[in-house]
Amino acid sequence: MPRRFYITTAIDYVNGRPHLGHAYEKVLADTLARFHRQRGDATWFLTGTDEHGQKIARAAEAAGQEPQAFVDEMSQTFVAAWKTLGVAYDQFIRTSDKRHELAVQELMRRLSLARTPRTGEPAIYEGEYVGLYCEGCEGFKGEKELDQKGRCPEHKKKPKAIKESNFFFRLSEYDEALLKHIEAHPEFIQPDYRRTEVMNLIKGGLEDVSVSRPNLPWGIPLPEEIEGGQGHTVYVWPDALLNYLSALGWPQRTYCKWWLAKEGEPGGPGATRQDVFQELDGQGRPGAAWAGLGQPQFTNAFHLIGKDISRFHCVLWPAMLLAAGVPLPRQVYVHGFILLRKPEVKDAGDGSVQEKMSKSRGNVVDPVEMAARFGADALRFYLIDAIPTGGDGEFSLELFVEHCNTHLANKLGNLSSRTVKLVHNGYAGATPSEWAPDSFADPAVRGALEALMAAATAAADEVPKAYDELRLHDALASAWQAVERANEFVDRARPWDLAKDPTRRIELGTALNALLETLRLVAIWAWPTIPAKCEELWNVLGLPGAPGQQRDAAARPAFGPPAPRTLGQPVILFPRIDLKAAASGVPQPGPKA
Ligand code: MSP
């Protein structure tokens, strides 16, 4: 049975153009989505843009545009960027979509009917908010959350004091229900240390949160049924979070297709089942989503987000879902930040040498420009290979150039061009028919071939396992083990010498076949990360089909005499980047993909 995989990213604010931090998350999601598609899972990959709120309204004003015209234009810069980077989503949602707006109003209606799990009070009430608001975070701030200078530590700005009538969501009463769920489902928040952080936060006590704001016309109006709600718009976070459901058609039942999974699908027995959910909603009534479903269902949604917004996703979102009677997502995976080295002048004296790349700090790297200069796949490779999944990662031109030259140009690029050239020179581009590993007289050569085949066998198990377990850097490291063993084998076997001696044809053919098979496998393993380059390599290898379609036996090592085929012309897959020229902005040679 094909499995189902529903993956979402955070939807980006459109007050500026996409930067490398946004791109990192989308490339990570795209790599995972491609991995799942490649192995045959029915996959739905959702991304989009977050278009309401004060911050956007102000950016539109500064640009001298109406908010709708402004967001129409800005959201296209994200669409275009993801196209350039090969981010192949299935759906792009914008929170200014009419269908999304209607769904958000329905959520507010449901919340206004819900009762809290602990005291049975209405989940929504009207009250006065007196406090601080950081526009950068689009969030209310407690004094404790500010730095010594009274600023938001993230945006380095003092939040504004506000006093206004808001509708509140009684989040304070959802602590027990949330803790119970998190304890019962350790996979709900990943990596593990992020779960601990969230649990400590909840144990420290939750405060009720505002879910509407008055006098902010750029947002979704509260539905008329909510008494006293005239003139209020929904606070941007509930609005934005609901995208994960509204995109699937919620509140219509069709949303279950991706939100839920059946027995044996990725949600698996660890995820919330419909029978446990009845207890979890804290109200003794089954969630609307479960009503009438015969077969046991599991939750299936996988949210990929950055660490600055884990609270919203790991606390507010599940609490709202509990109140609205919707099964919780299967997992929130919290990734780290792309950091830059601080320019010395800007060192805030806090001892750290790195800082987050962000619009508010004005230190952003443009991913579209990087892709145009060095190739989208080189950028994708750096983001996935050089940054351990889940952790923070530094970005600089020096690190990027060094990493790509070492692993792409010198290791994989070199292996493929040497191999393909040798096949052209020795066999007029046709695959050799010889296969006799014992023909190598030198035991060191035989040993190197055995090491290569062992590395390929190990990678065939480890690569899919590591992608599946969100260790994307390990998946690539394991694939590159095979590349390195292959290069070592070339150095030992010296096929260019074998080619000069007609009596050593068997050794030559065997060596080339081992290298061709390694390249075929690497094209499959690396495809989720660097799809365009792997497809190019696949074509040069003269293989039928595409690397994204190889699964099961077709994705396992098959060293031996290959079915006869003709190779394409050798190409330089990854041109070496000259750091000096790159730093001075001189255009680099080579293909754009
Ligand atoms: N609009 C909200 C998300 C709503 S989701 C229901 C938002 N937008 S954002 O544009 O500020 O950030 C979008 C995503 O990019 C977040 O997951 C955020 O963590 C991520 N990144 C923004 N800067 C980043 C880095 N420097 N590094 C890595 N990712 C970071 O938050």
Side-chain angles (χ1 to χ4, degrees), residues 39-248:
R39 75 171 192 186
D41 298 344
T43 300
W44 196 253
F45 169 16
L46 173 74
T47 190
T49 42
D50 188 354
E51 305 187 353
H52 289 131
Q54 206 165 331
K55 175 149 86 171
I56 311 288
R58 217 182 283 280
E61 202 183 312
Q65 279 179 298
E66 285 302 315
Q68 188 65 55
F70 177 74
V71 299
D72 285 349
E73 215 175 287
M74 290 306 291
S75 65
Q76 286 316 302
T77 63
F78 287 82
V79 169
W82 305 156
K83 189 160 184 228
T84 305
L85 295 185
V87 173
Y89 51 78
D90 295 287
Q91 188 178 359
F92 191 94
I93 187 163
R94 300 179 49 193
T95 54
S96 64
D97 289 347
K98 193 72 200 159
R99 264 195 27 191
H100 171 76
E101 297 193 354
L102 292 172
V104 170
Q105 291 185 321
E106 181 57 21
L107 171 74
M108 298 313 290
R109 272 184 212 108
R110 295 203 184 179
L111 293 183
S112 71
L113 296 174
R115 300 265 162 183
T116 58
R118 196 169 323 122
T119 59
E121 288 289 309
I124 297 277
Y125 65 95
E126 194 175 358
E128 179 148 283
Y129 181 82
V130 184
L132 301 168
Y133 191 81
C134 169
E135 205 176 274
C137 297
E138 289 283 14
F140 299 92
K141 294 272 156 182
E143 299 280 353
K144 279 188 285 182
E145 294 170 70
L146 306 179
D147 68 10
Q148 286 161 338
K149 295 182 184 161
R151 302 175 309 174
C152 162
E154 185 74 33
H155 295 93
K156 308 282 179 223
K157 273 196 190 144
K158 284 195 176 168
K160 259 203 190 136
I162 57 171
K163 179 177 174 192
E164 59 186 34
S165 146
N166 282 181
F167 281 85
F168 285 87
F169 174 59
R170 229 179 274 274
L171 184 62
S172 57
E173 289 207 22
Y174 286 83
D175 48 356
E176 279 168 29
L178 289 174
L179 285 173
K180 190 171 162 191
H181 182 75
I182 298 170
E183 271 159 15
H185 303 284
E187 75 288 354
F188 180 60
I189 302 169
Q190 283 293 318
D192 287 340
Y193 68 98
R194 296 280 175 210
R195 180 176 63 249
T196 311
E197 276 172 20
V198 172
M199 289 179 79
N200 289 340
L201 182 90
I202 300 174
K203 286 177 188 159
L206 296 174
E207 285 180 18
D208 295 348
V209 293
S210 164
V211 286
S212 82
R213 312 246 353 242
N215 315 318
L216 285 181
W218 184 237
I220 301 172
L222 278 189
E224 284 169 6
E225 293 86 341
I226 300 185
E227 222 174 287
Q230 284 84 355
H232 280 253
T233 48
V234 179
Y235 170 45
V236 278
W237 272 100
D239 168 352
L241 288 162
L242 197 75
N243 89 88
Y244 304 131
L245 278 173
S246 71
L248 302 181

Side-chain angles (χ1 to χ4, degrees), residues 8-17 19-26 48-52 55-56 78 95 136-138 154-155 236-244 304-310 312-313 317 333-340 355-359 361 363-364 391-393:
T8 69
T9 66
I11 49 173
D12 303 313
Y13 287 128
V14 289
N15 57 327
R17 295 172 58 81
H19 63 64
L20 193 61
H22 301 132
Y24 172 57
E25 181 176 278
K26 289 11 174 216
T49 42
D50 188 354
E51 305 187 353
H52 289 131
K55 175 149 86 171
I56 311 288
F78 287 82
T95 54
C137 297
E138 289 283 14
E154 185 74 33
H155 295 93
V236 278
W237 272 100
D239 168 352
L241 288 162
L242 197 75
N243 89 88
Y244 304 131
L304 180 69
I305 53 142
K307 63 183 182 181
D308 52 336
I309 57 174
S310 69
F312 293 108
H313 283 79
W317 178 228
Y333 187 91
V334 184
H335 66 73
F337 281 159
I338 301 284
L339 303 173
L340 293 183
E355 63 179 5
K356 181 191 174 198
M357 178 183 303
S358 70
K359 272 175 297 218
R361 289 197 176 87
N363 61 358
V364 297
D392 291 336

Side-chain angles (χ1 to χ4, degrees), residues 283-499:
Q283 300 167 51
R285 63 177 170 86
W290 300 125
L293 292 174
Q295 198 183 349
Q297 302 267 332
F298 303 89
T299 61
N300 189 38
F302 175 88
H303 299 316
L304 180 69
I305 53 142
K307 63 183 182 181
D308 52 336
I309 57 174
S310 69
R311 252 176 209 231
F312 293 108
H313 283 79
C314 301
V315 180
L316 177 61
W317 178 228
M320 283 191 333
L321 291 175
L322 289 175
V326 179
L328 306 191
R330 174 167 60 94
Q331 186 167 106
V332 179
Y333 187 91
V334 184
H335 66 73
F337 281 159
I338 301 284
L339 303 173
L340 293 183
R341 227 149 243 279
K342 279 183 184 170
E344 273 162 38
V345 277
K346 274 175 73 188
D347 193 326
D350 56 4
S352 59
V353 291
Q354 294 170 324
E355 63 179 5
K356 181 191 174 198
M357 178 183 303
S358 70
K359 272 175 297 218
S360 53
R361 289 197 176 87
N363 61 358
V364 297
V365 171
D366 180 350
V368 175
E369 190 199 320
M370 286 292 297
R373 292 179 64 196
F374 307 109
D377 277 359
L379 183 61
R380 289 176 63 114
F381 183 78
Y382 181 83
L383 294 175
I384 301 298
D385 192 56
I387 303 173
T389 321
D392 291 336
E394 186 172 320
F395 182 86
S396 71
L397 196 60
E398 290 75 15
L399 290 172
F400 168 77
V401 168
E402 160 73 20
H403 197 84
C404 291
N405 281 347
T406 306
H407 299 283
L408 294 178
N410 296 357
K411 291 185 185 166
L412 179 57
N414 200 14
L415 176 68
S416 82
S417 61
R418 298 209 267 190
T419 306
V420 175
K421 269 186 211 151
L422 284 161
V423 175
H424 274 279
N425 294 346
Y427 294 82
T431 43
S433 56
E434 296 85 3
W435 181 257
D438 293 337
S439 61
F440 295 105
D442 181 350
V445 177
R446 274 206 312 275
L449 178 57
E450 273 159 26
L452 162 60
M453 297 202 303
T457 306
D461 294 328
E462 171 62 6
V463 171
K465 188 165 181 283
Y467 274 125
D468 200 31
E469 293 172 358
L470 288 132
R471 295 179 287 110
L472 280 61
H473 58 297
D474 282 343
L476 293 175
S478 176
W480 257 252
Q481 281 291 319
V483 174
E484 283 179 35
R485 295 297 83 80
N487 279 321
E488 284 162 13
F489 170 63
V490 175
D491 293 342
R492 290 239 179 244
R494 303 180 61 81
W496 46 88
D497 287 343
L498 298 176

